[in-house]
Each structure stands twice: as C-alpha cells, then as structure tokens.
Amino acid sequence: SQTIHQWPATLVQPVGSPLSLECTVEGTSNPNLYWYRQAAGRGLQLLFYSVGIGQISSEVPQNLSASRPQDRQFILSSKKLLLSDSGFYLCAWSVVRGETEAFFGQGTRLTVV
Amino acid sequence: AQSVTQLGSHVSVSEGALVLLRCNYSSSVPPYLFWYVQYPNQGLQLLLKYTTGATLVKGINGFEAEFKKSETSFHLTKPSAHMSDAAEYFCAVSDRGGGADGLTFGKGTHLIIQP
C-alpha cells in the first residue's frame, strides 16, 4: 500500500533562517506531488506541484521554493524565512492519471519567531 | 475557473443530532467533488467523493453527501453526531479529471460537538 511521510511534525525557526521540509512517498511510482499551506480560516493554498523529477510548478509567488530530486521525494525550502511563512504545511500525492483524490501527509506546523 | 463556498466557518451540534455541512461550488464543466476531514495537527483524510453515477455518495464514519447539479451543491450529512466527529471539514472541487493539481478547496468548516 502507498504511504506518505512528512517531517518534521513541528518546527520553530527564527526569522531569516533557512527552511527545509521533506516529503517522501512509498508504494507508488511517478506520483504527482504537491505542497499546500494552510492558514487559519483560509483553507488550503496550493504552493507547488510536480509531475516528475526536476519538474516544479509554482502556483503562488513567494519566499519559498520546491525541488524534486528523486521520483518520490519532494522538498520545500526557503533561504530566509519571514514571519508570514508561519503556517501548517501539507504534502500530498496523487496518481498521474486515473485517480481522482489526493493523499495527504500529516503536516508540519512551522512557527517563525 | 472553479470555486468552493462552505457556508459557516463553525458549526455546533449536540451529540446525537443531525450534522449538516454546506458546500456550494462553481465549475465550468461537470465537477468531481470531495469532502475531506482533518483532525487537529494532522493531514487531510478523504471522507467521500463524487465522480459520476449515483448522486448520493456514502463515505466513511457514517457520512454521506448528495450531488445536486441544479443547486450546485454537495452538502455533507450524518444522521447522528458523535463526539469523535469534532474536526475540520473541507469541501473540494476538481474539473480536470481529478488529482490534486485540479483541486480547489473551500475554507473549511469547524464542526463542534456539544455533549
């Protein structure tokens, strides 16, 4: 069966520090991968998605970047965090074709102080 | 473009009472519709989905939803609320054959269960 791992679960970082959140998927090949950010009362905002290694699409211009160095690995990064980067970050995957829902990781609570 | 409106950011019901969470969508093509549940500090879990066929969809934990094209609605219901149903619920729509790249989420409804 397929599983998705996301870590760390919580993170407190000072303003101006770098960020690296990692997400890996097991049990499937060539998944679509996604990073969402969730802010209180604002639903889920799609930040990045990837349909293959090295292929990244950004939905919202921001202080963050994403990379996909391996088929089932998706990384969210920042060189210098801002206070506004605080939030709950969710990684998700879906089958490239045929499936109709996304499967989510457990999320990372990021607090920038 | 597609959009989702969830009426009520917070809904409170008594244990044992009917749960009704409202979702209206807009889509230029026949939509795929989803309800997800999120427990505190966890990811989203799929409750149910509508793709084609029967408009009344049954999901996990006793929830169901009915797709009403004429009303552009996909409201979530459960006959009898349980304390464990307390969570955040998200409605989502996709009109690109599914997959999260085509998903648009509502802002969520926080369900509170009163003892």
Side-chain angles (χ1 to χ4, degrees):
Chain A
S1 64
Q2 301 90 356
T3 56
I4 179 168
H5 303 280
Q6 186 181 342
W7 67 92
T10 59
L11 190 60
V12 179
Q13 292 283 100
V15 170
S17 65
L19 173 73
S20 180
L21 302 181
E22 188 164 343
C23 173
T24 60
V25 179
E26 297 177 357
T28 187
S29 297
N30 197 30
N32 281 341
L33 295 172
Y34 313 87
W35 279 110
Y36 285 87
R37 177 167 60 198
Q38 184 178 19
R42 298 183 63 181
L44 281 81
Q45 180 185 36
L46 180 62
L47 302 176
F48 300 96
Y49 71 93
S50 171
V51 298
I53 296 174
Q55 301 178 62
I56 309 295
S57 296
S58 175
E59 290 293 302
V60 181
Q62 58 215 316
N63 186 42
L64 303 168
S65 61
S67 61
R68 184 171 178 173
Q70 300 180 42
D71 180 46
R72 289 169 288 179
Q73 184 185 30
F74 205 25
I75 298 172
L76 183 69
S77 304
S78 173
K79 292 182 179 179
K80 289 185 178 181
L81 283 169
L82 305 172
L83 287 174
S84 57
D85 292 323
S86 294
F88 194 55
Y89 290 83
L90 288 160
C91 181
W93 75 273
S94 68
V95 175
V96 175
R97 287 187 175 89
E99 287 289 344
T100 58
E101 67 260 36
F103 300 92
F104 286 81
Q106 293 298 293
T108 296
R109 173 74 59 190
L110 172 66
T111 304
V112 183
V113 296
Chain B
Q2 56 198 21
S3 66
V4 177
T5 301
Q6 290 184 240
L7 191 62
S9 60
H10 291 76
V11 171
S12 180
V13 302
S14 299
E15 189 176 18
L18 171 71
V19 175
L20 171 60
L21 304 183
R22 299 179 186 276
C23 173
N24 289 90
Y25 70 90
S26 68
S27 177
S28 58
V29 297
Y32 292 172
L33 296 159
F34 309 81
W35 275 101
Y36 286 85
V37 61
Q38 183 183 32
Y39 297 101
N41 294 311
Q42 293 189 25
L44 276 68
Q45 178 183 6
L46 183 71
L47 268 179
L48 50 79
K49 62 181 179 183
Y50 168 79
T51 54
T52 59
T55 56
L56 181 62
V57 180
K58 295 186 183 298
I60 62 172
N61 301 338
F63 284 94
E64 62 183 34
E66 186 172 10
F67 169 56
K68 292 187 176 181
K69 184 178 179 180
S70 62
E71 298 178 8
T72 60
S73 68
F74 192 56
H75 301 331
L76 182 70
T77 61
K78 181 174 180 177
S80 177
H82 191 272
M83 295 300 291
S84 61
D85 294 327
E88 191 86 14
Y89 291 81
F90 291 93
C91 181
V93 61
S94 170
D95 64 8
R96 280 188 260 172
D101 57 332
L103 276 175
T104 298
F105 285 89
K107 293 186 176 181
T109 297
H110 185 62
L111 178 62
I112 302 164
I113 309 297
Q114 304 283 359

